[in-house]
Amino acid sequence: MNASLPTAPTADALRAALAGLLDGLPPRQAAQAVERLIANYRGTTPTDAPVLRDRSDVAAYAAYRMPATFEAVRAALDALRDAAPAWQPVTHTDIGGGTGAASWAVAEAWDGAARTTVLDWAEPALTLGRELADGVFDAEWRRARISGALKLDDTDLVTVSYVLKELTEADRRAVVAEAARVARAVVIVEPGTPDGYERIIAARSLLVEAGLTVAAPCPHSGACPIEPGTDWCHFAARVSRSSLHRQVKGGSLPYEDEKFSYVAATRFPVTPAAARVTRKPQIRKGQVLLELCGPDGLVRETVTKRHGPLYKAARDVEWGDPWPPAEA
């Protein structure tokens, strides 16, 4: 790590870096670029002509999507850190990292200590990502096709965020298998939709078959207790809305919630959560209703004032948090 670089990249630093991206780009053009990219980018298999065609496309999409991707990945990394508080990656590979949102999250989670390699096929995205991260954290930006032919060097941590939907099923399996082969820890994040959850569950199975242990969000490495087709496991991260967000989506709230599904798995010992809150807690008069996933499957727990400190903890717990809290 370059000693002259700041040691703690933050979400605020990322927002500041993104703030100048749209200078000189007419707001209407930026909004139109985002709308087009949202419509087709996440459902397209990469070709020799990346969907992010030029700097204007990349700038608009980065300003719109990087904060949400950052917050989702950061939440997944927090869960990994809770399960393995003494572990810290020295090297990190960001598969399909584009402009580097996941790499910013890794840099913040471990104070910029990991040497990062960002792999992506879209050269404009890599160029812009390099500019944004310059002087903030140590990274190499490398053009590579994200496909079943991808070969990686050994690394401590691999992140794959919002990438699997862009790949064919065969390529997804191969990329996850390659990540499992080379990494000590793998974190995969997808949109918090039914199909995003299905991709996470498929990836989770491959990671377990490869010998990794699930660190989060699950309290175990066994089969998911959700009956296929009946529900999906996902979480939410709060994201500050930019002016571009408000222009494209409308609405007046200064924030939105990014829904995401994820899995973190490791080749070293971890202590998963005893259980995890899988829905927003319902606070009623004198009681809190918690939907939990635990070793015995999906359960509902009612915490009342009679539970003393546990009741106070239940009123403060959030969707996606471990339960019970360590301090309760």
Side-chain angles (χ1 to χ4, degrees):
M1 182 69 188
N2 188 328
S4 65
L5 296 179
T7 58
T10 65
D12 288 341
L14 176 58
R15 282 191 287 271
L18 291 170
L21 278 184
L22 302 180
D23 287 350
L25 185 63
R28 181 177 178 82
Q29 181 181 344
Q32 289 175 340
V34 168
E35 289 172 340
R36 179 180 63 80
L37 293 165
I38 287 173
N40 62 31
Y41 181 62
R42 291 304 175 190
T44 302
T45 301
T47 68
D48 288 333
V51 176
L52 293 177
R53 302 169 303 185
D54 55 30
R55 185 180 178 88
S56 294
D57 276 358
V58 174
Y61 198 77
Y64 185 81
R65 279 300 303 167
M66 277 188 77
T69 302
F70 171 92
E71 295 293 354
V73 176
R74 187 67 173 87
L77 295 176
D78 283 345
L80 171 59
R81 293 181 68 199
D82 287 344
W87 183 75
Q88 177 172 300
V90 175
T91 53
H92 163 230
T93 300
D94 188 1
I95 297 177
T99 53
S103 296
W104 277 78
V106 169
E108 184 186 67
W110 286 284
D111 292 337
R115 298 190 308 276
T116 287
T117 300
V118 182
L119 304 177
D120 201 275
W121 184 240
E123 187 62 45
L126 292 169
T127 299
L128 187 60
R130 186 184 298 112
E131 292 176 13
L132 291 172
D134 185 37
V136 181
F137 60 88
D138 188 13
E140 176 187 357
W141 304 79
R142 186 187 305 169
R143 194 171 192 225
R145 184 183 297 280
I146 311 305
S147 71
L150 181 68
K151 296 300 178 185
L152 303 173
D153 296 328
D154 288 349
T155 186
D156 290 327
L157 173 65
V158 165
T159 54
V160 190
S161 60
Y162 296 87
V163 171
L164 296 184
K165 187 176 181 179
E166 300 173 24
L167 307 178
T168 65
E169 183 175 353
D171 283 347
R172 288 175 205 157
R173 293 179 62 87
V175 167
V176 173
E178 180 66 3
R181 183 184 71 84
V182 302
R184 299 187 66 215
V186 179
V187 174
I188 303 176
V189 180
E190 283 286 296
T193 58
D195 62 317
Y197 160 73
E198 289 176 2
R199 290 189 293 275
I200 288 294
I201 286 298
R204 180 185 185 277
S205 296
L206 290 172
L207 294 172
V208 172
E209 290 170 7
L212 279 71
T213 299
V214 176
C218 319
H220 57 79
S221 296
C224 177
I226 297 176
E227 184 178 345
T230 63
D231 202 353
W232 71 99
C233 180
H234 65 294
F235 304 95
R238 183 59 53 90
V239 184
S240 297
R241 273 181 166 175
S242 67
S243 58
L244 181 58
H245 277 83
R246 292 191 291 272
Q247 183 177 357
V248 172
K249 285 193 171 180
S252 58
L253 288 177
Y255 64 85
E256 64 180 7
D257 290 327
E258 171 72 7
K259 306 293 178 57
F260 66 98
S261 296
Y262 77 97
V263 62
T266 72
R267 288 196 177 278
F268 51 82
V270 292
T271 305
R276 193 169 298 276
V277 180
T278 59
R279 288 288 185 272
K280 185 176 180 179
Q282 299 178 48
I283 300 178
R284 308 281 176 79
K285 185 175 181 180
Q287 63 180 16
V288 181
L289 305 181
L290 299 177
E291 300 285 345
L292 303 172
C293 181
D296 298 324
L298 302 172
V299 298
R300 171 175 282 191
E301 182 171 327
T302 301
V303 185
T304 69
K305 288 184 177 180
R306 289 179 297 176
H307 291 92
L310 199 62
Y311 172 69
K312 183 180 185 302
R315 290 182 61 86
D316 293 335
V317 77
E318 296 182 355
W319 181 12
D321 285 349
W323 182 261
E327 64 274 11

